[in-house]
Amino acid sequence: MEISSPSTEMFDSTARLTKAEEYLRLAKVDPSDLHAETQVVSFAAPLLSDDYRLIELDKHLLERLEQGETIILRGTENDIPVLCTDKQTFQVKEAETSNALLLSPDCHATGNVVKEGVHFLGACQVVSVRSHYLELKEVVRLKTSRLRELLEERPFFGWENETDSQANCYSIDDLLEQVQGSKAQLLQVIETLPVCEIDGKLRQLAFEYRSRMLADLVDTCESGQTTGLSEDHLNRQAVREFFAANKAPPSFTDWFLRALCTATDVPDVLRLDERQVCRHYAELLLRGTKRFNWDDFWTAWCQCVPVNMTPKESFLEGLGLIEQGARIKTIELFPVEDLPEDPQERFDLLFRRRPKWRHADMEPYLRDLATSPKEIGVLLTKFCRSTTVGGQKLYNSRDSSYSA
Amino acid sequence: MQIPIRMTGDRIDEWVIIELQGALESSLGGDLSGKEIGTLSYTKEGAPVLIVGHHALFGKEVVLDKPLGVLVKKQQQQQQESQEQCAPAFDIVASVKRKIVFKSRPRPIVTQK
């Protein structure tokens, strides 16, 4: 489509309008059928098209911006950027159209074009021509691998092992410089990790530190010597005082009560959570040995958990992988947290580890990738093939190089 | 890295997009700055008509499913405390909630000359 160069006629507004109306008549449009205002549309001078970028927003995002909120783009140079409000995260992708989008600050549309009166010539400008715009896709579940890496740089092993250095210690704001997600979603993920805030920094609690503290508390409970501290009856304040006396940071108690205890009917009284505490002891045993003979493991596990607790095989979901061989049953450490977050990579790793899986065995290793059992089903259909052997449905890789 | 996007001033103006099929070329070639595109009129029924060169384009006004934000990148000078001289930011200078779309084939205008 060609654009005419400016001619002397243009500077004479009446002549220009006359010419426009002549063209309209030739195009079979009767000027008397038109609203009063006809606008000459011109490019701005200078035309700085590339200064402008278009981004698709949903109504709510626009409203928030109109109310003065700031939204933030996060990511390093190598990342696909994400756009974050305080609670939501959106992946940003560039979309293209084959059309030309002409951006005008002052073009009158049907809402504000002058309708009545003598026909006249108005003017408006186009400040940019775009054929690309940014599209947003909401990210409900954040990727956590970078966050975990950062938190693992400097775990907390207890005050006696701390130095003055703050290197590799990150506050929530430090983390937001490097991790791609909204603050609220990030804090939600952190709540599920063995992390607590110490001196303004978010610190991963080292496994051995957690073990030591748990063991001390369990011993105290079993000795019955301290009021307010028994396995079924943990008084919140008594727990706080116990850990304070053991020189734990104040926030350690919050983590402990949240991660290893459950509420009772009585306010401020909790009990040790059997599943979480038994899992902790299972992890302790499994970390010590590459592969455990099942019977040895079971015996050791029963012995080391608190006296009133009973281990169950189901407590090991997503933590230990049980291999039932022809003659021997074994277990080894295989935590879901160590698996890749990308679904294809996850399934590849699972099938390398074991070519065929039963649903019940595989499901705990997929729960963190989905928000419902239905979504897990979708993943299985997409990434696996299934066969039925002896009435039992087994999943295997779509990639034939993983066959048993 | 964190790059903020925010409104400057106390409101976000509403701009308009005119959507044309294909790309635009100038009959003179080169820079489009300051050049006239054409004239835009509205029929009493609210239908837009765009005359570009020797073509008449008939279009319609459409409300966007999702509004667009118009961003302008801006380098800000930080004050003394920060070690960085400039922190990039984006201003949202306008929103676009409706566009005037010309999708039908242009009708050529044959003049007498």
Side-chain angles (χ1 to χ4, degrees):
Chain A
M1 191 174 314
E2 288 191 7
I3 297 163
S4 55
S5 59
S7 66
T8 47
E9 278 180 59
M10 201 184 93
F11 299 102
D12 176 350
S13 171
T14 318
R16 186 69 189 82
L17 181 61
T18 307
K19 181 179 174 186
E21 294 193 339
E22 178 200 328
Y23 273 52
L24 285 161
R25 270 191 216 93
L26 288 168
K28 307 216 171 35
V29 178
D30 185 347
S32 66
D33 284 339
L34 296 174
H35 283 316
E37 183 180 11
T38 287
Q39 299 167 82
V40 176
V41 184
S42 310
F43 285 112
L47 181 64
L48 304 168
S49 243
D50 292 342
D51 279 6
Y52 301 90
R53 301 200 70 176
L54 294 173
I55 182 166
E56 210 175 50
L57 299 168
D58 70 22
K59 257 196 326 236
H60 301 295
L61 276 176
L62 181 58
E63 272 165 18
R64 300 177 79 143
L65 283 164
E66 283 169 339
Q67 279 156 22
E69 266 184 52
T70 303
I71 57 182
I72 305 198
L73 283 168
R74 292 195 168 114
T76 64
E77 281 156 6
N78 300 321
D79 289 325
I80 297 173
V82 299
L83 187 76
C84 303
T85 63
D86 51 359
K87 293 195 181 74
Q88 290 175 293
T89 304
F90 300 86
Q91 198 174 55
V92 179
K93 285 206 167 148
E94 195 164 74
E96 195 175 348
T97 167
S98 56
N99 295 340
L101 304 175
L102 279 57
L103 222 53
S104 174
D106 53 356
C107 175
H108 289 163
T110 53
N112 54 353
V113 74
V114 179
K115 299 183 167 79
E116 305 298 330
V118 172
H119 282 210
F120 72 100
L121 203 62
C124 67
Q125 295 211 311
V126 167
V127 298
S128 179
V129 182
R130 304 280 82 190
S131 57
H132 294 87
Y133 58 95
L134 300 172
E135 268 184 335
L136 300 181
K137 187 175 168 199
E138 188 163 9
V139 177
V140 173
R141 226 178 18 255
L142 296 186
K143 292 237 150 104
T144 60
S145 49
R146 187 177 300 164
L147 172 67
R148 289 170 192 274
E149 270 169 33
L150 290 171
L151 293 171
E152 265 154 37
E153 283 177 11
R154 187 97 179 271
F156 181 79
F157 287 88
W159 287 117
E160 60 276 19
N161 296 308
E162 280 289 284
T163 66
D164 287 333
S165 165
Q166 288 279 282
N168 303 101
C169 289
Y170 303 98
S171 66
I172 181 70
D173 291 324
D174 295 331
L175 290 172
L176 286 168
E177 282 289 328
Q178 300 200 47
V179 176
Q180 294 188 286
S182 69
K183 188 170 183 173
Q185 286 168 294
L186 201 64
L187 288 171
Q188 266 173 5
V189 172
I190 289 170
E191 282 234 328
T192 67
L193 301 174
V195 168
C196 67
E197 190 168 341
I198 301 173
D199 289 344
K201 306 289 183 187
L202 290 164
R203 302 291 299 279
Q204 173 119 319
L205 298 163
F207 186 80
E208 38 188 274
Y209 182 72
R210 290 182 266 143
S211 281
R212 203 181 350 133
M213 290 290 143
L214 173 63
D216 287 349
L217 183 72
V218 170
D219 286 344
T220 305
C221 289
E222 286 176 349
S223 74
Q225 279 171 1
T226 310
T227 17
L229 289 182
S230 69
E231 280 140 7
D232 288 331
H233 190 106
L234 291 169
N235 178 279
R236 189 183 286 270
Q237 187 55 28
V239 173
R240 208 169 283 287
E241 284 165 13
F242 174 81
F243 284 127
N246 275 277
K247 300 196 171 37
S251 53
F252 178 84
T253 303
D254 299 322
W255 171 78
F256 187 91
L257 293 173
R258 190 173 69 233
L260 294 175
C261 302
T262 48
T264 63
D265 296 330
V266 185
D268 288 329
V269 173
L270 298 95
R271 74 159 75 89
L272 286 175
D273 184 301
E274 186 180 57
R275 184 192 154 91
Q276 297 305 329
V277 171
C278 286
R279 273 175 79 89
H280 182 94
Y281 282 104
E283 187 175 345
L284 184 60
L285 291 169
L286 292 170
R287 277 177 180 232
T289 321
K290 181 151 167 50
R291 190 170 285 178
F292 236 120
N293 170 285
W294 174 260
D295 292 328
D296 294 339
F297 169 77
W298 186 263
T299 308
W301 197 19
C302 289
Q303 277 176 358
C304 68
V305 298
V307 164
N308 68 339
M309 290 191 183
T310 310
K312 294 186 180 60
E313 206 171 301
S314 62
F315 290 167
L316 300 167
E317 282 180 350
L319 175 64
L321 197 58
I322 302 169
E323 293 288 4
Q324 179 71 67
R327 260 174 267 171
I328 190 166
K329 184 174 173 182
T330 61
I331 179 170
E332 72 183 85
L333 186 67
F334 193 64
V336 63
E337 296 82 22
D338 291 354
L339 300 182
E341 289 187 283
D342 171 74
Q344 183 69 67
E345 285 176 33
R346 166 92 46 115
F347 280 103
D348 285 349
L349 190 144
L350 289 173
F351 288 124
R352 269 201 302 277
R353 182 67 188 75
R354 185 189 274 182
K356 291 196 201 309
W357 288 74
R358 295 184 312 165
H359 186 278
D361 296 333
M362 198 171 212
E363 191 259 347
Y365 289 104
L366 302 175
R367 266 184 223 148
D368 61 314
L369 296 181
T371 47
S372 67
K374 189 173 164 191
E375 272 186 43
I376 294 184
V378 169
L379 286 172
L380 289 169
T381 311
K382 185 173 174 188
F383 291 99
C384 310
R385 259 197 231 112
S386 67
T387 54
T388 309
V389 176
Q392 175 89 244
K393 190 171 188 180
L394 294 174
Y395 292 96
N396 57 304
S397 176
R398 285 184 178 276
D399 183 342
S400 55
S401 64
Y402 289 100
S403 52
Chain B
M1 192 164 64
Q2 298 188 82
I3 301 178
I5 299 177
R6 65 169 71 91
M7 171 175 81
T8 48
D10 55 4
R11 48 169 286 115
I12 297 179
D13 291 331
E14 207 181 311
W15 289 5
V16 163
I17 279 179
I18 297 170
E19 184 170 339
L20 302 176
Q21 281 197 314
L24 293 173
E25 287 156 14
S26 168
S27 56
L28 294 182
D31 185 24
L32 296 170
S33 278
K35 296 232 174 101
E36 185 189 296
I37 298 168
T39 59
L40 176 66
S41 312
Y42 285 90
T43 68
K44 288 183 178 161
E45 282 107 46
V49 184
L50 187 69
I51 308 283
V52 178
H54 293 271
H55 293 86
L57 299 162
F58 297 87
K60 62 175 181 172
E61 198 168 295
V62 168
V63 172
L64 299 179
D65 290 331
K66 289 187 191 174
L68 293 170
V70 181
L71 301 181
V72 170
K73 193 162 190 179
K74 154 180 206 177
Q75 299 286 344
Q76 290 170 325
Q77 296 292 340
Q78 292 282 53
Q79 300 307 325
Q80 315 89 315
E81 290 133 62
S82 170
Q83 281 158 1
E84 287 175 59
Q85 286 303 308
C86 295
F90 283 97
D91 289 338
I92 174 164
V93 299
S95 66
V96 178
K97 296 176 184 169
R98 49 185 59 233
K99 59 182 180 179
I100 307 166
V101 188
F102 294 94
K103 277 201 179 142
S104 57
R105 275 205 320 161
R107 206 186 277 178
I109 297 167
V110 182
T111 59
Q112 308 296 25
K113 296 173 188 137

